[in-house]
Amino acid sequence: MQKHVESVSLSASFKLNYNLENYFCAKNSRRMKKSMALFAVILCFQQGRAQEILNKIKSETARTIKKEADTSKWNWKSGGLLSLNISQGSLSNWSAGGDNFSLAASAYFNYFFFYKKGRHSWDNNVDVNLGYVQTTSLGSRKNDDRFDYLSKYGYKTDSIGKLYLSGLFNLRSQFFNGLTYSGTTGVLSSSFFSPAYMIFSLGLDYKQSDKFSVFISPLTSRFTFVLNDSLVRKGGYGIPAGKRSVNQIGMFATVNYFNAIAKNITYKGRLDLFSNYGDHPQNVDLFMTNLFSFKINKFFSATYSLDMIYDDDVRLFGENKTSPALQVKSLIGIGFLKPLNVRKRTTGSISGINVL
């Protein structure tokens, strides 16, 4: 009996141990499956994240890098250009002939300052040209003499900031006496503020950028002045003898462009057109300046300038010196060229002057 009881007890103990082992094995198996599943999910996530990072790196390295435009904020912008050219020649016992001595010097100065804030803009530009020639046969003569101030205020009328309702003021004249020559004899034809042209104009200004603008006005008042007493007595430039000024109403347009057209080559140009409503409006007056600058090194450059003027009231040409004609001036030189540093400022001080 006792042996039977012990046998039953051992059998029950074996079954209990077997069931416990199966239970823990099944439980461990379920835990392992969950861990494996969680590990697989984490692995897939990490692989996806790694692939995403890899694709981003590839796209960034393959992307073409572009130089961003200057987006700096400014209210005042100023700059300019200074150019000095000198050429000299001499001959001694030269069988081909020519002047024994010649000297030519020319200077050009440009300064601009722009203002913009909100819908308002104000552009200003000053140009000064001077030229001198000395030869043994012809003596001393000037070959360039001009100062020109252009000021233009605009109020932006569109959302993209390219179209402005504008007012324009322009003053153009010279510093010294000018002579027209017949052989070696010179006759006074111009002088300081004789003539001088002053324009007041209202119109629309299209500004594609700081480098290019087109201004058109259907209503423009142009004044012509002669202050030299000798020229007043003679009359000319559309002004009757004895008078010092005349006013004309007409249409006016001006195009301005300044840009680096190639490496080390810059171009600055301006074209003005004026039609007088009251006298032969089909005869359009033209004023055009072109300046090409070719940089040689830090201090020296070659320059080429081409100016053209046609004014129907300037009747100094032809056989009888009573006809208008296209006036052309072309100068080539090598010399010192110094761009003035472009400065940009927010509202504050400019060149030591406090601006409100």
Side-chain angles (χ1 to χ4, degrees):
M1 183 69 179
Q2 185 177 359
K3 291 181 178 180
H4 178 71
V5 172
E6 291 176 357
S7 176
V8 172
S9 176
L10 289 171
S11 177
S13 176
F14 176 78
K15 289 181 178 180
L16 178 60
N17 290 333
Y18 177 77
N19 291 334
L20 288 173
E21 288 178 2
N22 288 340
Y23 170 77
F24 285 111
C25 286
K27 190 172 183 180
N28 289 335
S29 178
R30 288 193 297 271
R31 286 181 178 177
M32 184 174 293
K33 288 181 180 180
K34 290 181 179 179
S35 298
M36 292 295 292
L38 180 61
F39 178 76
V41 171
I42 294 173
L43 182 61
C44 291
F45 175 79
Q46 293 295 336
Q47 287 180 343
R49 180 63 177 167
Q51 186 65 35
E52 179 183 351
I53 294 173
L54 183 61
N55 292 336
K56 187 174 181 180
I57 292 174
K58 288 181 178 180
S59 64
E60 288 295 324
T61 55
R63 180 172 61 91
T64 300
I65 299 175
K66 296 180 179 179
K67 186 178 180 180
E68 300 295 333
D70 182 14
T71 57
S72 58
K73 301 293 184 181
W74 56 271
N75 297 124
W76 290 97
K77 180 180 178 180
S78 62
L81 182 70
L82 175 63
S83 174
L84 299 172
N85 296 316
I86 298 177
S87 63
Q88 185 269 328
S90 62
L91 302 175
S92 178
N93 301 323
W94 193 253
S95 62
D99 279 306
N100 291 334
F101 176 84
S102 65
L103 173 69
S106 63
Y108 170 70
F109 173 76
N110 167 258
Y111 186 75
F112 67 84
F113 58 98
F114 302 150
Y115 173 79
K116 68 176 183 179
K117 186 175 182 181
R119 290 184 172 270
H120 303 274
S121 72
W122 184 30
D123 299 349
N124 296 270
N125 187 84
V126 178
D127 288 312
V128 178
N129 297 71
L130 291 173
Y132 170 85
V133 176
Q134 170 73 45
T135 64
T136 52
S137 61
L138 299 178
S140 301
R141 299 181 180 183
K142 72 170 185 177
N143 64 349
D144 202 2
D145 182 9
R146 176 173 65 92
F147 67 85
D148 191 319
Y149 172 62
L150 178 68
S151 181
K152 183 169 55 178
Y153 165 79
Y155 182 81
K156 183 171 63 177
T157 60
D158 64 339
S159 58
I160 59 175
K162 295 185 181 297
L163 192 63
Y164 291 77
L165 181 63
S166 299
L168 179 145
F169 170 78
N170 177 226
L171 174 64
R172 175 166 53 94
S173 188
Q174 64 190 57
F175 293 103
F176 306 108
N177 291 345
L179 306 177
T180 56
Y181 287 88
S182 177
T184 58
T185 303
V187 178
L188 182 67
S189 60
S190 62
S191 184
F192 176 71
F193 239 74
S194 302
Y197 301 96
M198 188 179 297
I199 289 177
F200 298 92
S201 187
L202 294 175
L204 290 176
D205 188 24
Y206 173 75
K207 299 174 69 173
Q208 185 184 41
S209 65
D210 292 337
K211 301 175 181 178
F212 177 76
S213 68
V214 179
F215 175 85
I216 299 177
S217 169
L219 183 63
T220 296
S221 178
R222 185 176 79 165
F223 291 88
T224 304
F225 300 94
V226 172
L227 302 186
N228 184 280
D229 292 336
S230 176
L231 296 176
V232 168
R233 288 191 295 269
K234 292 170 54 178
Y237 301 101
I239 303 175
K243 293 190 176 181
R244 296 182 180 272
S245 66
V246 68
N247 177 241
Q248 299 169 333
I249 303 297
M251 176 178 286
F252 175 76
T254 180
V255 180
N256 291 269
Y257 183 72
F258 173 75
N259 196 14
I261 58 177
K263 186 178 181 180
N264 295 330
I265 302 177
T266 59
Y267 170 75
K268 183 177 185 294
R270 172 178 158 193
L271 171 65
D272 291 355
L273 300 171
F274 178 78
S275 174
N276 181 11
Y277 289 149
D279 185 19
H280 299 92
Q282 72 276 11
N283 296 342
V284 178
D285 293 344
L286 176 146
F287 173 77
M288 185 177 187
T289 64
N290 304 272
L291 176 65
F292 293 88
S293 301
F294 306 87
K295 186 176 180 180
I296 299 174
N297 57 32
K298 184 177 180 180
F299 299 104
F300 294 97
S301 294
T303 59
Y304 171 68
S305 65
L306 175 64
D307 294 354
M308 292 183 287
I309 299 175
Y310 177 83
D311 190 333
D312 200 52
D313 295 321
V314 180
R315 300 177 176 269
L316 302 173
F317 314 105
E319 293 183 0
N320 299 321
K321 306 298 181 182
T322 57
S323 302
L326 179 65
Q327 307 167 53
V328 180
K329 175 173 65 70
S330 177
L331 295 174
I332 298 176
I334 298 178
F336 175 78
L337 181 68
K338 172 62 176 176
L340 304 181
N341 292 334
V342 175
R343 297 183 178 183
K344 297 180 181 181
R345 295 181 174 88
T346 56
T347 302
S349 63
I350 180 168
S351 301
I353 301 175
N354 292 327
V355 181
L356 299 179

